[in-house]
Amino acid sequence: MEDAAEHRGLEVRAYATKGPWRRKDLALVAAMGPVFLSVGWQTARFVGLLAGVGATVALGALVLLLEFWLVEFYCWARLDVRQDLSNAELCVVKPRHAQTRRAHKCKLTACEDSGEVSFSFWNARYVLDKKSGSFERLTNRVEGTRFADHLRAPGIASARGLRDGIRKWGANEFAFSKPEFLPLLVEHMLAPFFVFQLFCVGLWCLDEYWYYSLFTLVMLVMFECTVVKQRIRNLETLQQMGHQPQAIWTFREGQWQRVSEHTLIPGDLISISSESGFAETFVPADCLLLAGTGITNESILTGESVPQWKVSVKFRSPKDGFSWRRDKQHVLFRGTTLIQHDEDGVSHLSPLSRQKGSPDGGLVCLVLRTGFGTTQGDLMRTILHSTERMSANSSEAGLFILFLLVFAVAASAYVLYNGIYLTAPEDRDPFKLALNCIMIITSVIPPELPMELSLAVNTSMLSLFKKFIFCTEPFRIPLAGKVDACCFDKTGTLTSTRLVFEGVGDPRRDMNDLGGVPEIEVPKDPACDATKVLVGCHSLVAVDGKLRGDPMEKAAFKALLWTISKDLAKPKKGNPHLRGGDRYMLKILKRFHFNPTLKRMSTVVLKRAMEPSAPEAAGGSSAGEYLVLAKGAPESLRESFSRVPDDYDEVYLDYARRGLRVIALGIRRLQISDPLVVRGLSRSQAESSLEFCGFATFSCPLKPSSSETLLSLKQASHRLVMITGDAMLTACHVAREVHIADKPPLILKEAGRATGAASTAEAIESAFEWATHDGTTDIAFGLSTAMELSRDYSLCVPGKVVTLLAGLGPSALRQVLPFCSVFARTSPDDKEVIVKTLKDVGHTVLMCGDGTNDVGALKTAHVGIALLNSVKPAAPRRRRKKTIREWVEEEEDDSLPVVSLGDASIASPFTSRFSTVTPCVDIVKQGRSTLVTYVQMFKILGINCLSSAYSMSVMYLNGVKMGDTQATVSGVIIALLFMSLSNTSANEKLSAARPHSKVFCRYFMVSMVGQFFFHFAYLYGTYRYALTFAGDDVAAAPEAVPAGAPGNSTEADPASGASEKEAGGFEPNLVNTVAFTVNFVIQLATFAVNYVGEPFNVNIWRNRGLAVGLVACVALTGLLISGAGGPDLDSTFEVVALPEELKVAIALGGLGTWIAALCVETAARRLFPERLHKNLLL
C-alpha cells in the first residue's frame, strides 16, 4: 500500500512503536545532556554543573511538549512507518478539508474473531480494506444495491447476528464522552501558547515584575477556565439534544418484538406507526420504506416546512439500484417525525409473522444507517467538531508574528552586540544581558492575543445568535466579510411561499377580442379536466383538519373549494360549482412524486361519483373511472402530450413574462378496469399520450424585504445571481424587481436545432442563440462573447446549457457562467456547478436558499445560508424589573450558546429562523466587522511590537526600565482596550467600500510602517530631550549599563552605573517617567487611530467601552504629564515631576504624532483600497 491512504478527505498514515534504544527523543536528550554538564562544569564548576542539569531537564521537558503539540514530531521521535497496516499499532489522521489540517493520533484495534483492523476518528469508525490496503469509513454500503434484495430482507435472524452487529456498528445513539474539568484544564494549559506565556511570566519574575507577572498569570488562567467551562457546558447541551429513546417493534429471529431503539443495527426490520402513543413519533434511524406510505416532517434536518411524502419501494422495478441522492422519497431519516401513515394490505413478512406485515399497522422499514452514520449523525458531528476559530494558530497570524520576530531579533542582537563587544568584561552581567535579550524576543506575542481573536469571532457569533442566525462553523464568519458574489434561490427565498392561484388559461379556447392570449379564469365547469388535475395531482396531506404541503397546491385547493381526507380529494360542502350528481371525488392510487430533473409529477387516480346520502368517508361503492393526472413545466411536459395547440409556446411564454408561475396540465383516461394493472403502471407508461388541458397560473409575490435587501447588497459591491428551477421568463421578471437584472435581459434559448448530442463547443454554440426578453432580437451565441455581452445585458441561461457546458469541462464553464445574472430551470446538480464555477474564478460566494434542492450549492459556497421556514422566532417578552439572581444568571448566559439540532441544518453552516433574505445582510455586515477587527488588531499589535522592541533595546542600554506598577497598569489598560475593541458592533448600513481582507497588503504595510516612523521619532526625540534635563539624576537608574555603553559616557557618570541589587531595586527617575508616558501616549494613539469605525463598525464614540477607556486614559496621561494629580498619583504610578519645557514637548509631540499617524492611516486607506473582483467592474 502507499504511505498515505485517502478516504473522504482523510489522509491516514500507519505507525508502530520503536524500541527504547531506537527512540530519537531519548537519543537527543542523552546526547545533549553531557554537553550541557561539561560546559557548565568548565564555566562555573558546581554552580555550572547544576545549571547543566537544569538545562538537560529543560530540554527533556521541551521535547515532551513538542511531542504533545506536534504529532509529526512525536511520530519522528517514537514511531516507525508501517507499510503493512495489519502490523501497525496506531495511525495519524489528517483531515484534508478542515480549516486547520491538524493531525490526530488514533489507536488501531484488531478484532480477535475476524482480525478486522480499525480506528475511530471524530465519532466515525474506519476499517482496513484488505483488498485495497486502505482504511474506509465503516458504513452500510447500499448505494447501487437492487430493490429486490431489500424487499426480501429477513431482518436479524439470530442472537449471534445481533451481537456481531452491535459490536460492529455500535449503539444507535449519539454517545460521546464528556471530559472532567481538571483534566481538560490541564490539557488547555499544555497548549503551546499557554506554555509560552508561562515561560514569559517566569522571565518577568526574574526581572522582578511581580505584580505584572501575577496579573498576566491570573488573566491567562481565568481565560482558560472560562473556555473549559464553556466547552463542558456545550457538551452537556449536546448530550441533551435529540429525542428520548422509544420502544420500536422489530422483526428478529422470526417474530416481532419491542426493543429499545438504541439496539437497532443496519439490517433490522422495524415497524413505525404515527399512532404509537407517543406525543411525536420520531424515526429512530435512516430507514428504507418497504411497505406503506408515510408523511414526515424533515424540518429538523433541512428547515423545509413542507411535509415530505415517503412511498414504498415495492412498486419500483426490482432491478433498479438504490441511490441516496435520487431515492429520498423512499427513505425515512433519523430524527424526523412521522406525521401520518397508511399501511399496505400485505408485506413480504406476512407469511412469517402471521399478520399483515407489521404488528401495529405501521410502516415496514429496513434500517440502513444508525447512530453517527445517519444524516442527523453527520449534522451532530459537524456541531461537535467544526469548532475552528480565528486564533493565533492561523497561518496568516503565524506569518505576521514571524515578520515581527525579525525586528525583535534584530533589536535583541543589537543589545547582545553592545553587551558583549562594547562593555568591559568586569562590568558585564551575563545573566541580565541574556534575560533582556530573551524578553525582547518574547515581547512579540502579547498575553492577550488569543483572547482578543477568540473574542472577536465569539462576539460576532453572539450578535448573530441574538438575531436568530446560527452558525456551526465559526471560521466562516470572516469569510462572510470577503463575499463579493451573492446567489439566491427564487421560490421560497426571494418570493413568498404563499402563492395565489390566478386561474387556468387554455389555448384551445377562442382568443379574446383583442387577439391576445386566452384570458385566465378560475374553472367553474364541473366537467373541467383542469380541475381534476389540480385537485387530483398533488402531494398535500391533511393534518388536524389543515392542509400541509406545497404552497402552490394549497392555493389551488383553496381557490377551487376542495379539501382532502387522506388520499381522497373531494369538494367542500359549500362548493357552488359542484352540486348533486356533479359531485365526485378522486382517490389517489399511485403517486409519481415531483422529480427536479424531469420537472413534473403525476398521479393515477380513481374518480367516483359522490352520492349525497352516502357517508363522505365511504365515498360510495359504485365503480369509477381511472385517470392519469400530470402537471409540470410546460417545456418538460410538452413531449408527453399527444397533441398541443399551435400557440402553446406563445401563450405560456406570455404568462411567464407577466411574472406568473406557469404549470402545464395533462390528463389521460385509462381504458383499464383491473386495479392491479393500474397500480403496476410505470412512470414512463403513465406520463405518455396525455391530453393537454390548459396552463395553471400562480402569482408569487415578493417577500417584503427582498427588493430592499438585494438593493443594499448590490450597492455594497456585490454581484447578485439568481439560481432557480422556475421558468426563465418568470425568473427574469422577478430578477428585475429585486435588482438582480438591472440591464435589459438577454435570454439564451434553443435555436431550433437538436441539442441532445451537442458534445463540442461548436455544436453547443450552433444549438443556442441569445434573444431579447420579447423575442424580437436574436444574437449568435459564443462562449467567448459572454463577457462582452454582459456589459450591456443581464444574461439569463437555462440549466440545460449549464449541464452541456459542464460536459466540456471547467474552462467552458468559466467562459460563460461568471457573467450571467439569472439561471433558470436548473437541477440541484446545476446549482452546485454554478456556485463552484464562481468560486473557481476567484469569487467569495454566498448562497441563500430554503429547500432541499439547494443543499449541494449551500454546502459548496463559502457562506451557505439556509432559511428555516418551519421555525418562528420567539416573541420578545415584556420587560420587567430583574432580581439580583436573574442579573447573575444573565451574565453567566452571556457566553456563546451551542447551536442545537433544531437550529442547525444539514444544508449549510449558517441557518436563520427568519424566512426572509434579511439575514444575508446581517451575516455580511458581521463578517466585515469581524474581518476589520481581525486586521486592525494585528496592525495595533505590529506597531506596539516595533515600539516595544525599540524601548526594550536602545533604552535598556541607556538605563531605562519600566516599573512593576507601570507594567501592570499598562498591561491591564491595554487588555481592557483590546477587549473593548473586540466587542465592537457592526455598522447598521452596508457600504460600497470593501474591507481589507489580508494582513499582508500594501495598505497594511504602508500604514504600519508609516505610523511607526512618526512614533519612533516622537519616542526617540523626547528621550534625547529628556537626557538634557536629567543631568546626574540619571545615575539613579538601577538598570544603567556599564561605562562602555553608548550614551552613558556623556549623559551620565560612568562610575554611577551600579547594579540593580546595589541600587536597592527600581527607583523612578526623569528618563523612566518620560519613557513610560511617551510609550503610553503612543499606545493610546495606536488604538484611537487604527480603530476602523464607519463604514464597517460603529463610530468610535458609539463603542462606549473603547471611547470611555481612551478618554479616561488620555485624562490620566494628562494628569501624569502635568503633575496635576499630585505626589500621591505620581507615587502610585512610579513617576517623577517633569520640567515645564519637557511637559510641553511631550504634550505637543504626542498631539503631533497622533495627527501624523491619523494622516498616514487615512492616506493609506484611500491610496490602497481593497480591489474589487474584475467581474464586478463590468
Side-chain angles (χ1 to χ4, degrees), residues 17 70 186 244 343 481 518 615 666 773 874 889 893 907 922 974 1162:
T17 306
L70 303 174
V186 172
Q244 293 297 321
E343 63 170 327
H773 187 255
E889 291 177 350
D893 291 339
D922 294 327
I974 296 303
T1162 304

Side-chain angles (χ1 to χ4, degrees), residues 273-275 280-281 283 294-298 305-308 336-341 541-544 548:
S273 172
S274 58
E275 301 173 357
E280 290 182 296
T281 301
V283 179
I295 303 168
T296 62
N297 179 3
E298 297 183 351
S305 59
V306 178
Q308 304 296 311
T336 61
T337 55
L338 183 62
I339 301 174
Q340 190 172 299
H341 81 282
V541 58
V543 179
D544 297 330
R548 296 180 64 178

Side-chain angles (χ1 to χ4, degrees), residues 272-427:
I272 311 175
S273 172
S274 58
E275 301 173 357
S276 59
F278 296 99
E280 290 182 296
T281 301
F282 291 95
V283 179
D286 287 353
C287 308
L288 184 66
L289 183 54
L290 302 182
T293 303
I295 303 168
T296 62
N297 179 3
E298 297 183 351
S299 60
I300 194 171
L301 295 180
T302 65
E304 183 71 55
S305 59
V306 178
Q308 304 296 311
W309 277 87
K310 302 298 177 179
V311 295
S312 167
V313 300
K314 64 191 305 182
F315 297 113
R316 291 285 298 270
S317 172
K319 297 181 180 179
D320 287 349
F322 173 77
S323 170
W324 282 106
R325 191 165 194 170
R326 185 187 63 242
D327 297 321
K328 292 181 179 179
Q329 72 271 22
H330 304 308
V331 179
L332 280 70
F333 294 98
R334 177 189 167 100
T336 61
T337 55
L338 183 62
I339 301 174
Q340 190 172 299
H341 81 282
D342 290 317
E343 63 170 327
D344 284 342
V346 294
S347 80
H348 74 296
L349 297 177
S350 299
L352 301 176
S353 64
R354 300 177 182 177
Q355 300 182 41
K356 293 182 179 180
S358 72
D360 57 352
L363 305 178
V364 178
C365 304
L366 174 65
V367 176
L368 300 181
R369 300 185 300 198
T370 58
F372 281 104
T374 62
T375 304
Q376 190 183 37
D378 284 337
L379 179 58
M380 178 66 81
R381 293 175 69 230
T382 299
I383 298 174
L384 271 173
H385 302 291
S386 294
T387 55
E388 306 295 342
R389 64 187 181 189
M390 197 192 315
S391 67
N393 295 325
S394 65
S395 57
E396 194 171 42
L399 290 174
F400 182 68
I401 289 174
L402 288 177
F403 170 75
L404 297 180
L405 191 62
V406 172
F407 293 91
V409 169
S412 179
Y414 177 70
V415 171
L416 187 63
Y417 175 81
N418 278 269
I420 294 177
Y421 295 103
L422 301 181
T423 304
E426 61 274 9
D427 297 328

Side-chain angles (χ1 to χ4, degrees), residues 948-1017:
S948 63
Y950 171 77
S951 301
M952 297 181 69
S953 57
V954 177
M955 292 191 173
Y956 160 73
L957 293 173
N958 290 276
V960 175
K961 177 189 176 184
M962 187 179 293
D964 191 5
T965 303
Q966 293 174 348
T968 304
V969 171
S970 178
V972 171
I973 291 176
I974 296 303
L976 292 176
L977 290 178
F978 262 125
M979 291 179 67
S980 299
L981 190 72
S982 305
N983 203 30
T984 190
S985 301
N987 194 27
E988 297 174 358
K989 184 178 180 181
L990 274 178
S991 168
R994 303 187 64 83
H996 292 86
S997 58
K998 296 181 180 179
V999 170
F1000 291 98
C1001 63
R1002 288 183 296 175
Y1003 151 74
F1004 186 92
M1005 292 300 175
V1006 169
S1007 177
M1008 185 181 70
V1009 174
Q1011 290 183 59
F1012 174 69
F1013 173 79
F1014 288 103
H1015 293 332
F1016 171 80

Side-chain angles (χ1 to χ4, degrees), residues 80 151 178 284 338 406 413 531 570 577 617 685 687 714 755 835 909 917 998 1168:
D80 282 327
L151 288 170
K178 187 189 74 173
L338 183 62
V406 172
T531 300
K570 49 191 176 182
H577 310 306
Q685 291 173 332
E687 296 174 353
K714 193 174 190 66
T755 61
V835 172
V917 293
K998 296 181 180 179
F1168 306 107

